[in-house]
């Protein structure tokens, strides 16, 4: 079987992913003519071929030292650092505005860590990172983050401090372990002191009846301020300007790029280098299904940023780069769908933070299938081995007390941290119970979350056998009474 056939036919359950990645890597190194022909056919199928630049009408030529392609998280940081260091830098973004930088980031060893008297074993973090990926990573890359993320975070803090941005980090992790999972105080974030003018501008943007989340999205973030500083430091940021393809000299060195500004082509020559920061391909459902079929098969809600359709990856491949054979996608167990809905595109679910909580999870046969206290993606992978790739979370009316006891961290947190920032805010990311209740209510209204007074009624609404669900709940409650999970070690 060639690699394309294997990938289409072999990725059925989570266990196949490992084999497919390994065999795909072997196929890429084949030396026979047939192997090369198969590889070329597979490549051409999804990333196509570059344009003939000689046929383009170049309306403008720009000279710079560094070209950054993409104004999202990585692109904003690269543009700001290059400009601050005195380089002549151009940043192009195909959208009409910049993307976002995650408000909460993983950091090892910042100044505020030291001030709080918190430190972590960097090598322990590095090796846990490698173990978590089953070795499918380059630990040298992770080591850069372990050793330099603190300095990078401090640099951002200094750059945006004048805008009332205050850093903090989540020290309230609930212990060194969650079950078998080691936990480190790494999650850092920013709190904001907005001016009256900023609040008024955001209110005007979202309108008078917008929900609180819309207001949060409309307000400036650290990334907004950082890009503003980059422009102050001399960066040339160009919106509605899409990367078309990279250009190389006779020796193969990338010298710049061709970009498209509303149908007008621009040649940008970069004497010192080009940085690709164009995101992934998850906003293209067809490409996602072809390159990452496992992820596509379990999708219920898209969290993709608009425009992430693989442009930069294609440009990099055309310029001689190599794409990692192993696909990856950040996934969360918070896509809720109705019991009769099939997963995958077109997505028919809604976001619901309850999926991240370690409540009893059962398959569509009503059977408990895993230890629920695990990282975001694990229940999703477990679900691929069960009917419809779906699991149902079961909770009852006193779920808020259970959530407080669970003490989840990161963006799964709903119960606020007991540790406060200097401003008196919870020292940790998370949702509020009010926002979570709103999500639950809306999902019930939309026929996604099912509510019942008996397990028999609930099983009927979930389209699963009542006897099986009752037996599962009885067994689960029995284990809770003992205080020992003899089935999955929760």
């Amino acid at each position: 079987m060639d690699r394309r056939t294997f990938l289409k036919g072999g990725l059925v359950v989570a266990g196949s992913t490992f084999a497919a990645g390994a065999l795909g890597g072997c196929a890429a190194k084949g030396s026979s003519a047939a192997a090369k022909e198969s590889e070329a056919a597979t490549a051409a199928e999804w990333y196509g071929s570059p344009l003939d630049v000689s046929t383009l009408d170049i309306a403008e030529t720009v000279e710079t030292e560094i070209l950054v392609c993409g104004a999202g998280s990585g692109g904003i940081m690269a543009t700001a650092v290059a400009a601050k260091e005195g380089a002549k830098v151009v940043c192009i973004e195909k959208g009409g505005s910049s993307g976002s930088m995650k408000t909460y980031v993983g950091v090892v060893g910042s100044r505020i860590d030291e001030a709080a008297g918190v430190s972590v074993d960097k090598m322990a973090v590095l090796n846990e990172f490698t173990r978590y990926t089953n070795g499918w990573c380059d630990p040298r890359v992770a080591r850069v983050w372990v050793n330099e993320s603190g300095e990078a975070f401090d640099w951002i803090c200094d750059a945006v401090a004048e805008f009332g941005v205050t850093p903090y980090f989540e020290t309230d992790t609930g212990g060194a372990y969650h079950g078998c999972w080691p936990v480190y105080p790494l999650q850092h974030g920013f709190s904001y002191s907005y001016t009256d003018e900023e609040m008024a501008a955001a209110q005007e943007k979202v309108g008078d009846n917008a929900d609180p989340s819309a207001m949060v999205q409309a307000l400036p973030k650290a990334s907004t301020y950082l890009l503003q500083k980059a422009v102050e430091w001399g960066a040339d940021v160009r919106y509605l300007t899409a990367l078309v393809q990279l250009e190389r000299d006779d020796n193969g060195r990338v010298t710049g790029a061709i970009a498209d500004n509303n149908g007008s082509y621009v040649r940008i020559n970069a004497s010192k280098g080009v940085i690709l920061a164009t995101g992934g391909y998850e906003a293209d459902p067809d490409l996602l299904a072809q390159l990452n079929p496992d992820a596509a098969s379990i999708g219920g809600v898209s969290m993709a940023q608009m425009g992430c359709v693989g442009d930069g990856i294609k440009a990099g491949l055309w310029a001689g780069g190599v794409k990692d054979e192993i696909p990856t996608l950040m996934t969360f167990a918070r896509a809720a769908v109705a019991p009769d809905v099939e997963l995958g595109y077109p997505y028919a679910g809604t976001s619901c933070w309850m999926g991240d909580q370690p409540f009893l999870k059962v398959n569509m046969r009503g059977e408990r299938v895993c230890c629920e206290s695990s990282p975001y993606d694990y229940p999703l992978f477990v679900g691929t081995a069960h009917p419809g790739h779906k699991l149902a979370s079961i909770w009852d009316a006193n779920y808020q007390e259970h959530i407080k006891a669970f003490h989840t961290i990161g963006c799964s947190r709903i119960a606020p941290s007991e540790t406060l920032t200097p401003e008196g805010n919870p020292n940790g990311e998370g949702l509020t119970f009010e926002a979570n209740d709103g999500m639950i209510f809306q999902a019930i209204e939309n026929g996604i979350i099912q509510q019942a007074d008996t397990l028999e009624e609930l099983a009927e609404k979930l389209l699963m056998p009542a006897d099986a669900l009752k037996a599962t709940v009885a067994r689960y409650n029995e284990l809770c009474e003992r205080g020992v999970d003899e089935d999955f070690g929760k």
Side-chain angles (χ1 to χ4, degrees), residues 325-348:
E325 292 288 348
I326 305 166
T328 185
L329 188 73
M330 183 171 64
T331 52
F332 298 84
R334 62 177 67 138
V337 298
D340 58 347
V341 166
E342 292 186 7
L343 295 176
Y345 185 82
Y347 308 114

Side-chain angles (χ1 to χ4, degrees), residues 106-412:
V107 174
V108 182
S110 73
R111 289 193 301 254
I112 59 174
D113 296 37
E114 298 173 9
V118 175
S119 64
V120 299
D121 184 334
K122 290 185 176 181
M123 291 301 101
V125 173
L126 173 62
N127 285 304
E128 169 60 16
F129 184 100
T130 306
R131 183 209 62 79
Y132 190 86
T133 63
N134 288 320
W136 289 104
C137 68
D138 186 342
R140 297 172 300 176
V141 176
R143 188 176 61 199
V144 174
W145 165 69
V146 166
N147 288 331
E148 300 182 18
S149 57
E151 180 184 356
F153 183 76
D154 292 341
W155 189 93
I156 297 174
C157 294
D158 292 341
V160 299
E162 67 187 80
F163 300 101
V165 180
T166 305
Y168 67 86
F169 76 117
E170 187 177 47
T171 57
D172 177 22
T173 57
Y177 283 86
H178 279 205
C180 69
W181 305 100
V183 178
Y184 304 98
L186 304 178
Q187 180 150 298
H188 292 57
F190 301 101
S191 59
Y192 301 91
S193 299
Y194 291 114
T195 64
D196 292 341
E197 292 78 8
E198 289 174 326
M199 294 295 293
Q203 190 67 64
E204 183 178 355
K205 184 183 296 185
V206 301
D208 294 332
N209 298 319
D211 61 52
S213 63
M215 188 69 174
V216 170
Q217 292 298 321
L219 287 164
K221 301 294 185 298
S223 57
T224 316
Y225 299 130
L226 193 57
L227 194 58
Q228 181 177 326
K229 292 301 296 185
V231 173
E232 290 182 17
W233 292 328
D236 179 3
V237 181
R238 301 185 174 209
Y239 297 107
L240 300 176
T241 305
L243 170 67
V244 175
Q245 62 195 53
L246 300 172
E247 292 199 293
R248 299 188 294 172
D249 61 19
D250 294 338
N251 296 320
R253 179 183 181 274
V254 173
T255 58
I258 301 295
D260 181 356
N261 176 227
N262 284 326
S264 178
Y265 289 101
V266 181
R267 169 174 276 125
I268 306 174
N269 297 320
S271 62
K272 291 187 176 180
V274 177
I275 296 174
L276 284 177
T278 55
Y281 51 83
E282 63 275 12
D284 182 337
D286 293 331
L287 196 54
L288 176 63
Q290 186 168 356
L291 298 182
N292 197 341
D294 269 356
S297 71
I298 62 175
V301 172
S302 174
M303 298 175 70
Q305 291 199 29
M306 291 179 61
C308 288
V309 294
D311 294 342
I313 296 174
K314 295 174 183 179
L317 289 166
W318 294 336
V322 178
K323 179 186 176 300
D324 195 332
E325 292 288 348
I326 305 166
T328 185
L329 188 73
M330 183 171 64
T331 52
F332 298 84
R334 62 177 67 138
V337 298
D340 58 347
V341 166
E342 292 186 7
L343 295 176
Y345 185 82
Y347 308 114
T350 185
S351 292
C352 185
W353 256 240
M354 294 294 278
D356 281 341
Q357 301 300 312
F359 289 106
L360 169 65
K361 286 180 169 57
V362 300
N363 64 16
M364 299 308 289
R365 298 191 186 102
E367 304 160 335
R368 186 181 179 213
V369 296
C370 66
C371 172
E372 296 88 356
S373 292
S374 61
Y376 294 124
D377 45 3
Y378 271 52
L380 298 176
F381 298 149
V382 169
T384 62
H386 295 273
H389 293 182
K390 292 182 289 189
L391 301 178
S393 290
I394 312 293
W395 66 88
D396 57 13
N398 62 344
Y399 68 90
Q400 291 196 4
E401 294 306 312
H402 288 159
I403 287 176
K404 293 174 184 177
F406 292 153
H407 198 124
T408 65
I409 61 176
C411 59
S412 70

